[in-house]
Amino acid sequence: MALIVQKYGGSSVADAECIERVAWRIAESYTEGHDMVVVLSAQGDTTDDLIAKANEINEKPSKREMDMLLSTGEQMSVALMAMALEKIGLPVVSLTGWQIGMQTDDNYGSAKIKKVTASRIKTELDRRRIVLVAGFQGVNRYDDITTLGRGGSDTTAVAIAANLNADVCQIFTDVDGVYTSDPRKIQGAHKLDEITYDEMLELASLGAQVLHNRAVEMAKLYAVKLEVLSSFEKKSGTEVKEVTKVEQTKISGVAKDADIARIAIVGVKNEPGIAYKIFRLLAREDINVDIILQSIGRGHELSETKDISFTVARADMDRARELLEENKQSLGYSEISVTDKVAKVSIVGAGMMAASGIAATMFEALYEAKVNIAMISTSEIKVSVLVDESEADRAVQAIHAKFF
Ligand code: ADP
Ligand code: ASP
Ligand code: MG
């Protein structure tokens, strides 16, 4: 018999009917004799609703209190699911992040998992109970509740699977696997039977919401057998693994990330140390910088000034601008311009390493769709471009049609 970790997302447990359906699925695996640990997300739009509720009271609540509030969504789900399983007549216990020893760092709102003790889970499994775990939450060294970042329940599930050395970690969601692009938005997107950890990690980090990027990172690190499946239909999904059988010729997916902003610093001195000063300033405040573009120097004779542009997460935009403005004197630029009306569109594929012309094909698709590229960044297995947000969906569709 196997030890199975399952995770059901928000839409899979949205209402009483959904909860009952999922309860029967859990019951089925349990009665086959498997040990079951099931991680749940908050129901439907609960997390968004809680954020809205908070903002009705305070537009800038502290991150600590936000985590206190948001963690309640998952707690509600596990209690309700436990009641559904009790009704079926099965032994079950629901547990919070704290109760399972999910220890995180102090970074409220996007805490990283440091350690899971999971001793309580083991005891409950030994008693042959179905263990339901509230996803997305942990506890830090001050015994405060933390959350793992939006979509973080996937990471809870993988962390538990890694800790318990589970046979498989199954992520049940509202689509039946990982697709070449968001199947709800992109015509012609098709399901992948398998994908490598590396490609999935890129896709997830570049905006494909289907898996939390840290979940994929952890699955790779601990070689967790990871599957993405539909919670609504019974059919095979996508396996995420180290090596895939399918020969990779082109790309495995196209992703969009609209959660970014671009900051351009115009007219900085063209001298050593400027980039260092700017990015150290941001790093000190934990502001992550993504695509960076530096113009060649300009001005008469010895290229006196240059421009540096970069992207940050949208939530960091205002703080980054403030920091740069506070330090205008020492940085010595002429102006900064900031916009959040941008999006990043990316292609990902391990096959890119061996093939040539992949980027050119992507740019051709954008040219044909008349989408202007503001910035470009590449790595071994991805190419990203920054485009106007209003054109991003069209860009993804055009690129997808070109490759698939
Ligand atoms: P859950 O609540 O189950 O965690 P999410 O909403 O976080 O579900 O993730 C599932 C959604 O991810 C799908 O409904 C789909 O619209 C979106 N998505 C984006 N990119 C992809 C992709 N490449 N493959 C599958 N789904 C994707
Ligand atoms: N409920 C959280 C969210 O909406 C975590 C999750 O669903 O994974 O982001
Ligand atoms: Mg999710």
Side-chain angles (χ1 to χ4, degrees):
M1 288 303 125
L3 168 53
I4 301 176
V5 175
Q6 297 187 337
K7 177 256 168 178
Y8 292 88
S11 45
S12 308
V13 293
D15 54 25
E17 205 182 305
C18 291
I19 288 190
E20 204 174 321
R21 198 188 51 244
V22 169
W24 279 107
R25 280 196 88 151
I26 298 168
E28 206 177 299
S29 299
Y30 175 81
T31 46
E32 281 169 11
H34 303 302
D35 283 334
M36 301 294 298
V37 180
V38 182
V39 175
L40 300 180
S41 289
Q43 292 184 281
D45 296 328
T46 301
T47 308
D48 290 330
D49 294 345
L50 289 170
I51 293 171
K53 231 182 222 308
N55 290 335
E56 272 174 29
I57 290 166
N58 183 342
E59 276 167 27
K60 282 195 171 169
S62 69
K63 288 185 172 180
R64 182 196 182 277
E65 297 310 330
M66 250 351 242
D67 281 359
M68 188 73 173
L69 179 69
L70 297 191
S71 64
T72 62
E74 272 68 16
Q75 194 169 329
M76 200 166 124
S77 290
V78 286
L80 293 172
M81 184 64 75
M83 293 171 194
L85 285 157
E86 280 174 349
K87 193 171 163 199
I88 297 175
L90 293 175
V92 60
V93 61
S94 66
L95 301 170
T96 63
W98 172 74
Q99 287 173 302
I100 65 153
M102 178 66 73
Q103 296 169 21
T104 73
D105 65 14
D106 304 336
N107 199 2
Y108 300 100
S110 55
K112 284 211 172 95
I113 297 172
K114 289 174 85 172
K115 199 173 136 196
V116 200
T117 39
S119 51
R120 177 74 187 268
I121 300 183
K122 288 174 196 153
T123 314
E124 299 294 353
L125 288 175
D126 287 343
R127 291 185 186 154
R128 271 300 282 158
R129 280 180 165 170
I130 296 168
V131 183
L132 304 181
V133 177
F136 175 58
Q137 56 180 262
V139 60
N140 67 15
R141 61 187 158 145
Y142 307 116
D143 284 345
D144 278 349
I145 294 174
T146 54
T147 64
L148 309 180
R150 298 305 304 267
S153 296
D154 299 338
T155 305
T156 306
V158 174
I160 293 172
N163 182 279
L164 298 177
N165 204 7
D167 294 280
V168 63
C169 180
Q170 301 175 320
I171 307 290
F172 288 92
T173 183
D174 57 1
V175 288
D176 59 357
V178 178
Y179 278 66
T180 49
S181 198
D182 189 339
R184 297 187 186 285
K185 291 193 188 138
I186 301 304
Q187 269 173 15
H190 64 83
K191 193 169 89 183
L192 301 163
D193 293 331
E194 45 180 26
I195 183 167
T196 63
Y197 292 125
D198 289 336
E199 289 170 299
M200 191 63 238
L201 180 57
E202 287 288 0
L203 277 179
S205 305
L206 294 167
Q209 197 192 337
V210 63
L211 280 177
H212 194 228
N213 58 353
R214 284 216 222 108
V216 186
E217 205 169 54
M218 200 176 295
K220 179 179 163 72
L221 190 62
Y222 296 100
V224 173
K225 187 169 186 266
L226 188 61
E227 291 174 6
V228 179
L229 299 147
S230 164
S231 69
F232 297 90
E233 295 169 274
K234 277 200 172 167
K235 53 169 155 161
S236 61
T238 303
E239 278 184 45
V240 189
K241 42 164 63 167
E242 190 61 44
V243 193
T244 55
K245 281 186 237 92
V246 190
E247 198 191 336
Q248 295 288 349
T249 46
K250 285 188 183 162
I251 65 166
S252 54
V254 189
K256 174 186 110 171
D257 184 1
D259 188 23
I260 60 171
R262 182 186 57 180
I263 298 179
I265 311 178
V266 181
V268 287
K269 281 196 213 88
N270 192 15
E271 62 183 30
I274 284 292
Y276 165 63
K277 277 191 199 163
I278 293 171
F279 296 116
R280 183 189 54 182
L281 200 62
L282 299 167
R284 270 207 207 124
E285 299 255 336
D286 281 330
I287 297 176
N288 251 320
V289 172
D290 183 24
I291 308 178
I292 301 175
L293 186 77
Q294 179 179 298
S295 71
I296 49 167
R298 62 167 178 221
H300 45 277
E301 291 186 34
L302 278 173
S303 302
E304 287 156 3
T305 66
K306 62 189 175 189
D307 307 336
I308 295 182
S309 316
F310 54 90
T311 60
V312 295
R314 220 167 257 191
D316 289 333
M317 180 179 86
D318 290 337
R319 185 66 197 127
R321 182 195 356 222
E322 275 169 24
L323 273 174
L324 294 168
E325 279 168 355
E326 282 162 18
N327 291 277
K328 186 167 188 207
Q329 202 96 49
S330 64
L331 295 174
Y333 57 83
S334 52
E335 57 176 303
I336 54 177
S337 91
V338 173
T339 174
D340 60 1
K341 301 280 180 289
V342 289
K344 184 167 63 171
V345 172
S346 311
I347 55 172
V348 170
M352 227 179 260
M353 283 189 269
S356 57
I358 300 280
T361 307
M362 180 188 190
F363 302 153
E364 184 185 13
L366 291 167
Y367 164 62
E368 286 166 3
K370 298 197 168 50
V371 175
N372 191 44
I373 302 172
M375 285 168 133
I376 300 173
S377 105
T378 64
S379 81
E380 269 193 331
I381 66 165
K382 68 136 208 242
V383 181
S384 297
V385 294
L386 194 77
V387 300
D388 205 284
E389 189 183 12
S390 62
E391 297 183 329
D393 286 333
R394 207 154 54 77
V396 175
Q397 186 66 69
I399 295 166
H400 191 274
K402 198 82 176 168
F403 283 101
F404 296 102

